[in-house]
Amino acid sequence: MAARGFPYTDLKDFLAALERAGELRRVSVPVDPTLEISAVVTRTVRAGGPALLFERPTRGEMPVAINLFGTEKRMAMALGVDSLDEIGERIGALVKPELPVGWSGIREGLGKVMQLKSVPPRKVKTAPCQQVVYRGDGVDLNRLPGLQVWPGDGGIFHNFGLTHTKHPETGKRNLGLYRLQQHSRNTLGMHWQIHKDSTAHHAVAERLGQRLPVAIAIGCDPVVSYAASAPLPGDIDEYLFAGFLRGERVEMVDCLTVPLQVPAHAQVVLEGYLEPGERLPEGPFGDHTGFYTPVEPFPVLHIETMTMQRDPVYHSIITSKPPQEDHGLGKATERIFQPLLKLLIPDIVDYDLPAAGVFHNCAIVSIRKRYPKHAQKVMNAIWGAHLMSLTKLIVIVDEDCDVHDYNEVAFRAFGNVDYARDLLLTEGPVDHLDHASYQQFWGGKAGIDATRKLPSEGYTRGWPEEMSMSPEVVSLVDKRWKEYGI
């Protein structure tokens, strides 16, 4: 069931919905975007608290909206549902049963969903995001209350800028979410990682000796903001996906100075170019891993035009070790993409990406085990599945184990495993931000088979029966519970 007021016109509309639902608090006193906002938000997130609107940041010219997606309830509100599973169920119903399994099935499945819903973006001629325009010397990023989140950060960062690029040869658009370090009043460091599509666009532009146009939208409606973080196949347009989630087309407008389109209802838009071959040191930055990522050379965006709504609201996010606001975004991806992962790997019953594993370090997977080494087959399939390939630890359990009950998972993983036989070690790609791997971008991985073992796997002792109370006694105790006086 869609939330009241969904789909939201823009960020301000979503903030109003949060406030009506008692999910937003306004902070009316001055608060410093350097460290102080971060400390307030981190304490709020860890207390399960509300979204926050800092109305008087001591730097910048607009209020700061933050912690919008910090709980599964607010994430569901952002996507217009009561439960994040609803979207996955909608997708699952549309893509079954005639599509092929495997990666082509995922691509065709998403394509079918978009085609059925007919929700491509719609171009408009005028847009609220261009109500105020600054060009040339008028461009000043200090108008924005960018955050320094941790004491060791290399400066001010803009953490929720939706980055738009096009493939220089095919024209295929990409929307991504990358941190942006402010180098000067009109330059930003583009921290796009090695596995990201925009990195590929930039590599092609440099090979051709061309500048790469870039547009960054800050403060979009929550569905578009989520779509920028979603791990879509490269040939699925993020705005088509956002249209499906919204149930109506996203309005887009041509940028004023670069050949790109941006959401018409964004709060702020930055337009500019990357010069081929140019790099500047970027970082350090306290990331969602809980550690500072080191200084590395990254491309530099030269901003030529800055547009915004009248009275804009600046949107950002805090990164730290879990729990943090990105929990809602990660759980949304887990639930929305479950039917598509099952299309790729039909053996999967359910899966969970623990927030403590920052959503790519660990996957807990339940299967309906049917043959010897079935768990190992699923492990290898996951390591071959798009960005799931970055998973460092996979724990496979039987279908009667609730993958979201970490105590039950731990009971199986600690007790059902002979680590001389049930541990699979391998090597492969890891996340760009992984600090534990001895080599950047690749490292060791482990798979744990915590399923019941079969005689055909060499287990000849006869797997024991797990204890459980008889249903009759459970029913009796339920009926007499008050009598016991406990």
Side-chain angles (χ1 to χ4, degrees), residues 449-471:
D449 177 4
T451 63
R452 298 175 181 88
K453 303 310 177 295
L454 305 173
S456 51
E457 292 177 302
Y459 186 88
T460 58
R461 299 172 57 198
W463 196 262
E465 180 182 356
E466 187 176 338
M467 299 173 298
S468 64
M469 184 54 67
S470 63

Side-chain angles (χ1 to χ4, degrees), residues 215-386:
I216 295 168
I218 298 173
C220 297
D221 86 74
V223 173
V224 169
S225 293
Y226 167 70
S229 75
L232 294 170
D235 54 355
I236 298 295
D237 185 85
E238 285 85 2
Y239 283 105
L240 204 58
F241 183 57
F244 164 72
L245 295 177
R246 286 169 52 88
E248 69 177 38
R249 298 160 72 182
V250 178
E251 291 187 345
M252 308 285 288
V253 69
D254 286 339
C255 289
L256 300 181
T257 52
V258 294
L260 296 166
Q261 292 183 344
V262 289
H265 295 275
Q267 300 294 304
V268 176
V269 176
L270 309 175
E271 305 177 9
Y273 291 89
L274 302 178
E275 296 291 344
E278 184 181 16
R279 303 286 190 279
L280 280 179
E282 193 271 357
F285 179 75
D287 223 307
H288 68 283
T289 60
F291 296 87
Y292 289 104
T293 51
V295 175
E296 293 183 88
F298 276 95
V300 181
L301 177 63
H302 296 265
I303 300 165
E304 298 184 346
T305 302
M306 182 179 190
T307 73
M308 61 185 68
Q309 293 193 22
R310 297 187 187 94
D311 302 318
V313 175
Y314 179 83
H315 180 204
S316 193
I317 190 170
I318 299 300
T319 53
S320 77
K321 69 179 182 182
Q324 196 47 269
E325 179 185 351
D326 58 2
H327 169 82
L329 295 166
K331 279 297 167 185
T333 291
E334 175 197 290
R335 294 294 88 200
I336 290 170
F337 284 84
Q338 187 221 43
L340 296 169
L341 185 62
K342 291 170 72 172
L343 188 67
L344 179 62
I345 311 170
D347 317 70
I348 292 175
V349 174
D350 199 1
Y351 80 122
D352 184 279
L353 304 176
V358 296
F359 297 105
H360 56 71
N361 282 340
C362 178
I364 302 165
V365 180
S366 60
I367 65 170
R368 188 172 295 112
K369 187 171 178 177
R370 296 186 290 112
Y371 48 80
K373 299 299 180 181
H374 195 169
Q376 286 79 357
K377 180 251 191 183
V378 172
M379 295 171 194
N380 285 300
I382 291 171
W383 282 321
H386 195 38

Side-chain angles (χ1 to χ4, degrees), residues 7 11 46 56 69 116 124 131 292 300 331 382 389 418:
L11 174 61
R46 292 176 181 173
R56 298 171 61 194
F69 309 125
L116 283 174
V124 297
Q131 289 172 338
Y292 289 104
V300 181
K331 279 297 167 185
I382 291 171
S389 65
D418 177 343

Side-chain angles (χ1 to χ4, degrees), residues 353-466:
L353 304 176
V358 296
F359 297 105
H360 56 71
N361 282 340
C362 178
I364 302 165
V365 180
S366 60
I367 65 170
R368 188 172 295 112
K369 187 171 178 177
R370 296 186 290 112
Y371 48 80
K373 299 299 180 181
H374 195 169
Q376 286 79 357
K377 180 251 191 183
V378 172
M379 295 171 194
N380 285 300
I382 291 171
W383 282 321
H386 195 38
L387 289 182
M388 290 292 287
S389 65
L390 304 180
T391 308
K392 294 205 295 184
L393 175 64
I394 301 173
V395 181
I396 307 290
V397 294
D398 288 301
E399 63 178 313
D400 62 349
C401 178
D402 180 359
V403 294
H404 310 296
D405 181 344
Y406 298 155
N407 285 331
E408 178 65 17
V409 171
F411 174 73
R412 308 282 182 113
F414 298 160
N416 282 6
V417 179
D418 177 343
Y419 284 94
R421 293 174 176 264
D422 302 329
L423 177 65
L424 177 63
L425 297 177
T426 188
E427 291 181 334
V430 297
D431 190 79
H432 189 129
L433 303 179
D434 189 274
H435 62 278
S437 58
Y438 282 60
Q439 301 292 326
Q440 192 174 29
F441 308 131
W442 66 274
K445 297 161 178 282
I448 297 174
D449 177 4
T451 63
R452 298 175 181 88
K453 303 310 177 295
L454 305 173
S456 51
E457 292 177 302
Y459 186 88
T460 58
R461 299 172 57 198
W463 196 262
E465 180 182 356
E466 187 176 338

Side-chain angles (χ1 to χ4, degrees), residues 95 105-114 232-233 236 241 337 340:
V95 301
I106 283 190
R107 190 170 56 247
E108 290 181 38
L110 275 172
K112 181 186 175 188
V113 168
M114 307 314 165
L232 294 170
I236 298 295
F241 183 57
F337 284 84
L340 296 169

